[in-house]
Amino acid sequence: MVNSEDLRRFSLFSSLSSNDVVPLLPHLVERRYRRGQLLFVEGEIGSSVFFVLSGQVKLSRSTPASEKQIIDWCGPYDCFAEVLLLEAGSYPATAEAIKDSTLLVLNNEVMPQILEANPALSVALIRTLSRRLRLSQEFIRILTNRSTAGILAALFLRLARPAETPGKPIFVDASLTHRDLASMIGTSRECVNRAINSWKRSGILKLAGDRLEILKPHELAEWP
């Protein structure tokens, strides 16, 4: 059974206190999805926000050329479809479970009464959503001002998971293929392969089992 501290591990609620998130707990429904199962498809009308407890979910959308472009890769303690947190609407992407996954689902129909009764929760969520919007705008700016390798570097930092213990490096799940990464930034697998191999030789990245460790995040952050 998920508790308030578990919920605060999600970035959407990380700035809230345990008491702030307690009103949400009764409204979170745990669901399990099999590998390859679709949670929703792009354009589908929905009213739920999803929180990953375990497993992995891929978000993709169709390009004007009718090709599938990966836009995000969500693992434990990531959430998605936040655009529907306050009102129903269409999902901007298709969500597919890449591994057997367990998620929490929150239907937005309960949000008005919860927010009216908990002003602190309302303010904190607005701040968090505003911060996410600024980060998205910054990533768009990067897409228009950096080289392909620079865009890939920014993507690695956006996808990076926090270190599991102090002193350990942040990391990216190595199950993301070079083709997946290329799809996310609109380039070729060969370009991604060259950049990653170069960073490995330079000691910026290191493959360690099922993860790609980022040893020098400051160098990725400054990559032109």
Side-chain angles (χ1 to χ4, degrees):
M1 186 70 179
V2 68
N3 57 41
S4 58
E5 287 305 309
D6 293 328
L7 202 55
R8 292 181 65 241
R9 294 184 65 180
F10 292 94
S11 61
L12 187 60
F13 304 124
S14 60
S15 64
L16 307 182
S17 70
S18 295
N19 289 336
D20 286 337
V21 300
V22 164
L24 295 170
L25 294 175
H27 305 287
L28 292 163
V29 178
E30 185 174 303
R31 292 182 185 168
R32 291 178 172 80
Y33 296 89
R34 299 181 307 277
R35 178 182 178 183
Q37 186 174 354
L38 295 180
L39 285 66
F40 52 78
V41 297
E42 181 181 2
E44 177 183 343
I45 301 299
S47 57
S48 297
V49 182
F50 296 79
F51 303 85
V52 184
L53 287 176
S54 65
Q56 203 164 55
V57 175
K58 177 176 70 177
L59 301 180
S60 62
R61 63 185 174 196
S62 299
T63 68
S66 298
E67 297 175 346
K68 186 166 70 173
Q69 179 184 19
I70 299 172
I71 60 172
D72 214 343
W73 205 271
C74 301
Y77 297 102
D78 287 332
C79 58
F80 55 94
E82 306 97 309
V83 67
L84 302 185
L85 181 64
L86 300 179
E87 61 181 9
S90 59
Y91 289 111
T94 294
E96 177 187 354
I98 300 304
K99 302 177 180 177
D100 290 347
S101 303
T102 301
L103 285 81
L104 297 174
V105 182
L106 176 66
N107 192 292
N108 64 28
E109 65 182 10
V110 302
M111 291 305 294
Q113 64 192 63
I114 291 176
L115 295 179
E116 286 175 9
N118 300 274
L121 177 60
S122 303
V123 172
L125 286 177
I126 290 171
R127 285 175 176 165
T128 297
L129 293 171
S130 295
R131 183 168 62 250
R132 287 187 165 209
L133 178 59
R134 288 196 299 272
L135 290 174
S136 295
Q137 291 173 332
E138 174 63 15
F139 192 66
I140 291 173
R141 185 191 67 78
I142 288 171
L143 289 175
T144 58
N145 289 283
R146 286 194 183 182
S147 65
T148 300
I151 294 170
L152 179 63
L155 178 63
F156 269 124
L157 294 175
R158 186 167 72 87
L159 294 175
R161 320 284 313 169
E164 294 181 339
T165 57
K168 296 291 185 179
I170 61 175
F171 64 92
V172 175
D173 190 331
S175 65
L176 272 169
T177 68
H178 291 188
R179 189 178 300 278
D180 293 330
L181 293 166
S183 174
M184 294 181 78
I185 60 174
T187 189
S188 68
R189 181 179 59 82
E190 291 76 16
C191 286
V192 170
N193 188 56
R194 284 196 299 271
I196 290 177
N197 286 338
S198 173
W199 291 333
K200 285 180 180 177
R201 290 192 297 269
S202 300
I204 296 173
L205 302 178
K206 183 180 77 172
L207 183 62
D210 62 351
R211 64 186 58 184
L212 194 60
E213 296 182 344
I214 302 176
L215 305 178
K216 300 177 181 179
H218 59 284
E219 294 198 20
L220 286 186
E222 297 172 357
W223 206 268

PDB file of all heavy atoms in Angstrom, residues 30-56:
ATOM      1  N   GLU A  30      -4.166   1.414  -7.919  1.00  0.00           N
ATOM      2  CA  GLU A  30      -3.011   0.672  -8.430  1.00  0.00           C
ATOM      3  C   GLU A  30      -3.439  -0.236  -9.576  1.00  0.00           C
ATOM      4  O   GLU A  30      -4.405  -0.978  -9.455  1.00  0.00           O
ATOM      5  CB  GLU A  30      -2.377  -0.159  -7.313  1.00  0.00           C
ATOM      6  CG  GLU A  30      -1.093  -0.860  -7.726  1.00  0.00           C
ATOM      7  CD  GLU A  30      -0.422  -1.564  -6.563  1.00  0.00           C
ATOM      8  OE1 GLU A  30      -0.114  -0.877  -5.559  1.00  0.00           O
ATOM      9  OE2 GLU A  30      -0.212  -2.791  -6.651  1.00  0.00           O
ATOM     10  N   ARG A  31      -2.700  -0.159 -10.692  1.00  0.00           N
ATOM     11  CA  ARG A  31      -2.995  -0.997 -11.852  1.00  0.00           C
ATOM     12  C   ARG A  31      -1.712  -1.628 -12.374  1.00  0.00           C
ATOM     13  O   ARG A  31      -0.640  -1.021 -12.295  1.00  0.00           O
ATOM     14  CB  ARG A  31      -3.650  -0.181 -12.977  1.00  0.00           C
ATOM     15  CG  ARG A  31      -5.051   0.326 -12.652  1.00  0.00           C
ATOM     16  CD  ARG A  31      -5.638   1.078 -13.824  1.00  0.00           C
ATOM     17  NE  ARG A  31      -6.941   1.666 -13.484  1.00  0.00           N
ATOM     18  CZ  ARG A  31      -7.571   2.556 -14.237  1.00  0.00           C
ATOM     19  NH1 ARG A  31      -7.013   2.975 -15.375  1.00  0.00           N
ATOM     20  NH2 ARG A  31      -8.731   3.047 -13.854  1.00  0.00           N
ATOM     21  N   ARG A  32      -1.843  -2.824 -12.915  1.00  0.00           N
ATOM     22  CA  ARG A  32      -0.703  -3.532 -13.502  1.00  0.00           C
ATOM     23  C   ARG A  32      -0.911  -3.654 -15.011  1.00  0.00           C
ATOM     24  O   ARG A  32      -2.020  -3.931 -15.473  1.00  0.00           O
ATOM     25  CB  ARG A  32      -0.533  -4.908 -12.858  1.00  0.00           C
ATOM     26  CG  ARG A  32      -0.063  -4.830 -11.412  1.00  0.00           C
ATOM     27  CD  ARG A  32       0.045  -6.208 -10.767  1.00  0.00           C
ATOM     28  NE  ARG A  32       0.680  -6.129  -9.461  1.00  0.00           N
ATOM     29  CZ  ARG A  32       0.070  -5.766  -8.350  1.00  0.00           C
ATOM     30  NH1 ARG A  32      -1.220  -5.449  -8.384  1.00  0.00           N
ATOM     31  NH2 ARG A  32       0.722  -5.713  -7.199  1.00  0.00           N
ATOM     32  N   TYR A  33       0.173  -3.442 -15.748  1.00  0.00           N
ATOM     33  CA  TYR A  33       0.141  -3.517 -17.210  1.00  0.00           C
ATOM     34  C   TYR A  33       1.205  -4.492 -17.689  1.00  0.00           C
ATOM     35  O   TYR A  33       2.327  -4.503 -17.183  1.00  0.00           O
ATOM     36  CB  TYR A  33       0.389  -2.128 -17.817  1.00  0.00           C
ATOM     37  CG  TYR A  33      -0.699  -1.124 -17.484  1.00  0.00           C
ATOM     38  CD1 TYR A  33      -0.608  -0.344 -16.319  1.00  0.00           C
ATOM     39  CD2 TYR A  33      -1.801  -0.952 -18.311  1.00  0.00           C
ATOM     40  CE1 TYR A  33      -1.597   0.573 -16.003  1.00  0.00           C
ATOM     41  CE2 TYR A  33      -2.802  -0.030 -17.998  1.00  0.00           C
ATOM     42  CZ  TYR A  33      -2.696   0.727 -16.841  1.00  0.00           C
ATOM     43  OH  TYR A  33      -3.685   1.627 -16.522  1.00  0.00           O
ATOM     44  N   ARG A  34       0.848  -5.293 -18.669  1.00  0.00           N
ATOM     45  CA  ARG A  34       1.789  -6.246 -19.239  1.00  0.00           C
ATOM     46  C   ARG A  34       2.683  -5.560 -20.271  1.00  0.00           C
ATOM     47  O   ARG A  34       2.291  -4.546 -20.869  1.00  0.00           O
ATOM     48  CB  ARG A  34       1.051  -7.402 -19.917  1.00  0.00           C
ATOM     49  CG  ARG A  34       0.171  -8.211 -18.972  1.00  0.00           C
ATOM     50  CD  ARG A  34      -0.486  -9.345 -19.730  1.00  0.00           C
ATOM     51  NE  ARG A  34      -1.184  -8.892 -20.912  1.00  0.00           N
ATOM     52  CZ  ARG A  34      -2.420  -8.406 -20.907  1.00  0.00           C
ATOM     53  NH1 ARG A  34      -3.089  -8.309 -19.757  1.00  0.00           N
ATOM     54  NH2 ARG A  34      -2.995  -8.015 -22.025  1.00  0.00           N
ATOM     55  N   ARG A  35       3.859  -6.127 -20.479  1.00  0.00           N
ATOM     56  CA  ARG A  35       4.751  -5.616 -21.507  1.00  0.00           C
ATOM     57  C   ARG A  35       4.028  -5.588 -22.847  1.00  0.00           C
ATOM     58  O   ARG A  35       3.383  -6.557 -23.252  1.00  0.00           O
ATOM     59  CB  ARG A  35       5.990  -6.509 -21.604  1.00  0.00           C
ATOM     60  CG  ARG A  35       6.970  -6.085 -22.682  1.00  0.00           C
ATOM     61  CD  ARG A  35       8.147  -7.037 -22.752  1.00  0.00           C
ATOM     62  NE  ARG A  35       9.057  -6.658 -23.812  1.00  0.00           N
ATOM     63  CZ  ARG A  35      10.143  -7.338 -24.146  1.00  0.00           C
ATOM     64  NH1 ARG A  35      10.460  -8.449 -23.484  1.00  0.00           N
ATOM     65  NH2 ARG A  35      10.923  -6.919 -25.119  1.00  0.00           N
ATOM     66  N   GLY A  36       4.106  -4.454 -23.542  1.00  0.00           N
ATOM     67  CA  GLY A  36       3.461  -4.295 -24.832  1.00  0.00           C
ATOM     68  C   GLY A  36       2.037  -3.772 -24.756  1.00  0.00           C
ATOM     69  O   GLY A  36       1.448  -3.420 -25.791  1.00  0.00           O
ATOM     70  N   GLN A  37       1.484  -3.660 -23.567  1.00  0.00           N
ATOM     71  CA  GLN A  37       0.103  -3.182 -23.417  1.00  0.00           C
ATOM     72  C   GLN A  37       0.046  -1.663 -23.533  1.00  0.00           C
ATOM     73  O   GLN A  37       0.885  -0.944 -22.998  1.00  0.00           O
ATOM     74  CB  GLN A  37      -0.453  -3.625 -22.066  1.00  0.00           C
ATOM     75  CG  GLN A  37      -1.925  -3.297 -21.866  1.00  0.00           C
ATOM     76  CD  GLN A  37      -2.464  -3.885 -20.563  1.00  0.00           C
ATOM     77  OE1 GLN A  37      -1.772  -4.621 -19.860  1.00  0.00           O
ATOM     78  NE2 GLN A  37      -3.702  -3.556 -20.244  1.00  0.00           N
ATOM     79  N   LEU A  38      -0.951  -1.163 -24.261  1.00  0.00           N
ATOM     80  CA  LEU A  38      -1.155   0.280 -24.399  1.00  0.00           C
ATOM     81  C   LEU A  38      -1.993   0.795 -23.243  1.00  0.00           C
ATOM     82  O   LEU A  38      -3.026   0.217 -22.893  1.00  0.00           O
ATOM     83  CB  LEU A  38      -1.849   0.599 -25.727  1.00  0.00           C
ATOM     84  CG  LEU A  38      -1.084   0.292 -27.012  1.00  0.00           C
ATOM     85  CD1 LEU A  38      -1.932   0.664 -28.230  1.00  0.00           C
ATOM     86  CD2 LEU A  38       0.241   1.026 -27.060  1.00  0.00           C
ATOM     87  N   LEU A  39      -1.540   1.901 -22.655  1.00  0.00           N
ATOM     88  CA  LEU A  39      -2.310   2.529 -21.588  1.00  0.00           C
ATOM     89  C   LEU A  39      -3.348   3.479 -22.178  1.00  0.00           C
ATOM     90  O   LEU A  39      -4.473   3.579 -21.698  1.00  0.00           O
ATOM     91  CB  LEU A  39      -1.389   3.296 -20.637  1.00  0.00           C
ATOM     92  CG  LEU A  39      -0.551   2.476 -19.661  1.00  0.00           C
ATOM     93  CD1 LEU A  39       0.501   1.624 -20.363  1.00  0.00           C
ATOM     94  CD2 LEU A  39       0.120   3.385 -18.638  1.00  0.00           C
ATOM     95  N   PHE A  40      -2.931   4.216 -23.208  1.00  0.00           N
ATOM     96  CA  PHE A  40      -3.825   5.088 -23.968  1.00  0.00           C
ATOM     97  C   PHE A  40      -3.130   5.438 -25.268  1.00  0.00           C
ATOM     98  O   PHE A  40      -1.925   5.201 -25.425  1.00  0.00           O
ATOM     99  CB  PHE A  40      -4.191   6.358 -23.177  1.00  0.00           C
ATOM    100  CG  PHE A  40      -3.026   7.131 -22.628  1.00  0.00           C
ATOM    101  CD1 PHE A  40      -2.257   7.962 -23.446  1.00  0.00           C
ATOM    102  CD2 PHE A  40      -2.685   7.054 -21.289  1.00  0.00           C
ATOM    103  CE1 PHE A  40      -1.182   8.673 -22.950  1.00  0.00           C
ATOM    104  CE2 PHE A  40      -1.607   7.770 -20.765  1.00  0.00           C
ATOM    105  CZ  PHE A  40      -0.864   8.582 -21.608  1.00  0.00           C
ATOM    106  N   VAL A  41      -3.904   5.974 -26.216  1.00  0.00           N
ATOM    107  CA  VAL A  41      -3.333   6.329 -27.510  1.00  0.00           C
ATOM    108  C   VAL A  41      -3.473   7.829 -27.741  1.00  0.00           C
ATOM    109  O   VAL A  41      -4.355   8.493 -27.175  1.00  0.00           O
ATOM    110  CB  VAL A  41      -4.006   5.553 -28.663  1.00  0.00           C
ATOM    111  CG1 VAL A  41      -3.768   4.065 -28.513  1.00  0.00           C
ATOM    112  CG2 VAL A  41      -5.497   5.850 -28.730  1.00  0.00           C
ATOM    113  N   GLU A  42      -2.582   8.360 -28.540  1.00  0.00           N
ATOM    114  CA  GLU A  42      -2.567   9.783 -28.868  1.00  0.00           C
ATOM    115  C   GLU A  42      -3.930  10.234 -29.379  1.00  0.00           C
ATOM    116  O   GLU A  42      -4.516   9.609 -30.254  1.00  0.00           O
ATOM    117  CB  GLU A  42      -1.495  10.042 -29.931  1.00  0.00           C
ATOM    118  CG  GLU A  42      -1.350  11.485 -30.350  1.00  0.00           C
ATOM    119  CD  GLU A  42      -0.282  11.669 -31.412  1.00  0.00           C
ATOM    120  OE1 GLU A  42       0.312  10.647 -31.848  1.00  0.00           O
ATOM    121  OE2 GLU A  42      -0.036  12.824 -31.809  1.00  0.00           O
ATOM    122  N   GLY A  43      -4.444  11.324 -28.821  1.00  0.00           N
ATOM    123  CA  GLY A  43      -5.728  11.865 -29.241  1.00  0.00           C
ATOM    124  C   GLY A  43      -6.911  11.315 -28.479  1.00  0.00           C
ATOM    125  O   GLY A  43      -8.020  11.880 -28.547  1.00  0.00           O
ATOM    126  N   GLU A  44      -6.723  10.230 -27.744  1.00  0.00           N
ATOM    127  CA  GLU A  44      -7.815   9.643 -26.952  1.00  0.00           C
ATOM    128  C   GLU A  44      -8.210  10.606 -25.836  1.00  0.00           C
ATOM    129  O   GLU A  44      -7.367  11.221 -25.195  1.00  0.00           O
ATOM    130  CB  GLU A  44      -7.354   8.310 -26.372  1.00  0.00           C
ATOM    131  CG  GLU A  44      -8.362   7.626 -25.463  1.00  0.00           C
ATOM    132  CD  GLU A  44      -7.818   6.350 -24.853  1.00  0.00           C
ATOM    133  OE1 GLU A  44      -6.803   5.833 -25.367  1.00  0.00           O
ATOM    134  OE2 GLU A  44      -8.395   5.878 -23.854  1.00  0.00           O
ATOM    135  N   ILE A  45      -9.510  10.748 -25.608  1.00  0.00           N
ATOM    136  CA  ILE A  45      -9.990  11.605 -24.531  1.00  0.00           C
ATOM    137  C   ILE A  45      -9.863  10.846 -23.206  1.00  0.00           C
ATOM    138  O   ILE A  45     -10.274   9.693 -23.086  1.00  0.00           O
ATOM    139  CB  ILE A  45     -11.462  12.023 -24.749  1.00  0.00           C
ATOM    140  CG1 ILE A  45     -11.597  12.765 -26.083  1.00  0.00           C
ATOM    141  CG2 ILE A  45     -11.938  12.905 -23.594  1.00  0.00           C
ATOM    142  CD1 ILE A  45     -10.773  14.033 -26.176  1.00  0.00           C
ATOM    143  N   GLY A  46      -9.259  11.508 -22.237  1.00  0.00           N
ATOM    144  CA  GLY A  46      -9.047  10.858 -20.955  1.00  0.00           C
ATOM    145  C   GLY A  46      -9.143  11.833 -19.805  1.00  0.00           C
ATOM    146  O   GLY A  46      -9.312  13.045 -19.998  1.00  0.00           O
ATOM    147  N   SER A  47      -9.009  11.300 -18.587  1.00  0.00           N
ATOM    148  CA  SER A  47      -9.113  12.138 -17.395  1.00  0.00           C
ATOM    149  C   SER A  47      -8.194  11.649 -16.279  1.00  0.00           C
ATOM    150  O   SER A  47      -8.424  11.956 -15.116  1.00  0.00           O
ATOM    151  CB  SER A  47     -10.565  12.149 -16.890  1.00  0.00           C
ATOM    152  OG  SER A  47     -11.011  10.829 -16.628  1.00  0.00           O
ATOM    153  N   SER A  48      -7.151  10.902 -16.636  1.00  0.00           N
ATOM    154  CA  SER A  48      -6.297  10.304 -15.612  1.00  0.00           C
ATOM    155  C   SER A  48      -4.831  10.694 -15.767  1.00  0.00           C
ATOM    156  O   SER A  48      -4.340  10.864 -16.889  1.00  0.00           O
ATOM    157  CB  SER A  48      -6.406   8.775 -15.659  1.00  0.00           C
ATOM    158  OG  SER A  48      -7.720   8.355 -15.356  1.00  0.00           O
ATOM    159  N   VAL A  49      -4.153  10.797 -14.631  1.00  0.00           N
ATOM    160  CA  VAL A  49      -2.718  11.012 -14.563  1.00  0.00           C
ATOM    161  C   VAL A  49      -2.099   9.712 -14.042  1.00  0.00           C
ATOM    162  O   VAL A  49      -2.680   9.036 -13.190  1.00  0.00           O
ATOM    163  CB  VAL A  49      -2.366  12.178 -13.622  1.00  0.00           C
ATOM    164  CG1 VAL A  49      -0.858  12.429 -13.600  1.00  0.00           C
ATOM    165  CG2 VAL A  49      -3.100  13.438 -14.063  1.00  0.00           C
ATOM    166  N   PHE A  50      -0.912   9.353 -14.554  1.00  0.00           N
ATOM    167  CA  PHE A  50      -0.299   8.068 -14.246  1.00  0.00           C
ATOM    168  C   PHE A  50       1.029   8.259 -13.508  1.00  0.00           C
ATOM    169  O   PHE A  50       1.824   9.131 -13.861  1.00  0.00           O
ATOM    170  CB  PHE A  50      -0.060   7.272 -15.534  1.00  0.00           C
ATOM    171  CG  PHE A  50      -1.328   6.900 -16.254  1.00  0.00           C
ATOM    172  CD1 PHE A  50      -2.000   7.821 -17.042  1.00  0.00           C
ATOM    173  CD2 PHE A  50      -1.849   5.615 -16.142  1.00  0.00           C
ATOM    174  CE1 PHE A  50      -3.172   7.482 -17.708  1.00  0.00           C
ATOM    175  CE2 PHE A  50      -3.014   5.262 -16.797  1.00  0.00           C
ATOM    176  CZ  PHE A  50      -3.670   6.200 -17.585  1.00  0.00           C
ATOM    177  N   PHE A  51       1.279   7.389 -12.520  1.00  0.00           N
ATOM    178  CA  PHE A  51       2.487   7.429 -11.709  1.00  0.00           C
ATOM    179  C   PHE A  51       3.121   6.039 -11.717  1.00  0.00           C
ATOM    180  O   PHE A  51       2.480   5.062 -11.317  1.00  0.00           O
ATOM    181  CB  PHE A  51       2.155   7.839 -10.274  1.00  0.00           C
ATOM    182  CG  PHE A  51       1.448   9.168 -10.170  1.00  0.00           C
ATOM    183  CD1 PHE A  51       0.071   9.259 -10.311  1.00  0.00           C
ATOM    184  CD2 PHE A  51       2.170  10.323  -9.945  1.00  0.00           C
ATOM    185  CE1 PHE A  51      -0.576  10.482 -10.225  1.00  0.00           C
ATOM    186  CE2 PHE A  51       1.531  11.554  -9.861  1.00  0.00           C
ATOM    187  CZ  PHE A  51       0.150  11.637 -10.001  1.00  0.00           C
ATOM    188  N   VAL A  52       4.366   5.945 -12.161  1.00  0.00           N
ATOM    189  CA  VAL A  52       5.023   4.647 -12.309  1.00  0.00           C
ATOM    190  C   VAL A  52       5.648   4.212 -10.984  1.00  0.00           C
ATOM    191  O   VAL A  52       6.520   4.894 -10.447  1.00  0.00           O
ATOM    192  CB  VAL A  52       6.119   4.700 -13.392  1.00  0.00           C
ATOM    193  CG1 VAL A  52       6.723   3.303 -13.587  1.00  0.00           C
ATOM    194  CG2 VAL A  52       5.561   5.221 -14.714  1.00  0.00           C
ATOM    195  N   LEU A  53       5.206   3.071 -10.477  1.00  0.00           N
ATOM    196  CA  LEU A  53       5.825   2.489  -9.290  1.00  0.00           C
ATOM    197  C   LEU A  53       6.955   1.538  -9.668  1.00  0.00           C
ATOM    198  O   LEU A  53       8.006   1.507  -9.025  1.00  0.00           O
ATOM    199  CB  LEU A  53       4.776   1.729  -8.468  1.00  0.00           C
ATOM    200  CG  LEU A  53       3.758   2.565  -7.690  1.00  0.00           C
ATOM    201  CD1 LEU A  53       2.742   1.652  -7.020  1.00  0.00           C
ATOM    202  CD2 LEU A  53       4.452   3.446  -6.658  1.00  0.00           C
ATOM    203  N   SER A  54       6.745   0.763 -10.719  1.00  0.00           N
ATOM    204  CA  SER A  54       7.784  -0.149 -11.198  1.00  0.00           C
ATOM    205  C   SER A  54       7.554  -0.387 -12.681  1.00  0.00           C
ATOM    206  O   SER A  54       6.452  -0.203 -13.196  1.00  0.00           O
ATOM    207  CB  SER A  54       7.742  -1.483 -10.439  1.00  0.00           C
ATOM    208  OG  SER A  54       6.533  -2.178 -10.704  1.00  0.00           O
ATOM    209  N   GLY A  55       8.626  -0.811 -13.364  1.00  0.00           N
ATOM    210  CA  GLY A  55       8.517  -1.058 -14.796  1.00  0.00           C
ATOM    211  C   GLY A  55       8.948   0.132 -15.629  1.00  0.00           C
ATOM    212  O   GLY A  55       9.701   1.003 -15.160  1.00  0.00           O
ATOM    213  N   GLN A  56       8.442   0.222 -16.843  1.00  0.00           N
ATOM    214  CA  GLN A  56       8.857   1.271 -17.764  1.00  0.00           C
ATOM    215  C   GLN A  56       7.767   1.512 -18.798  1.00  0.00           C
ATOM    216  O   GLN A  56       7.155   0.558 -19.306  1.00  0.00           O
ATOM    217  CB  GLN A  56      10.148   0.856 -18.458  1.00  0.00           C
ATOM    218  CG  GLN A  56      10.982   1.992 -18.994  1.00  0.00           C
ATOM    219  CD  GLN A  56      12.390   1.517 -19.305  1.00  0.00           C
ATOM    220  OE1 GLN A  56      12.585   0.574 -20.051  1.00  0.00           O
ATOM    221  NE2 GLN A  56      13.391   2.169 -18.731  1.00  0.00           N
TER     222      GLN A  56
END
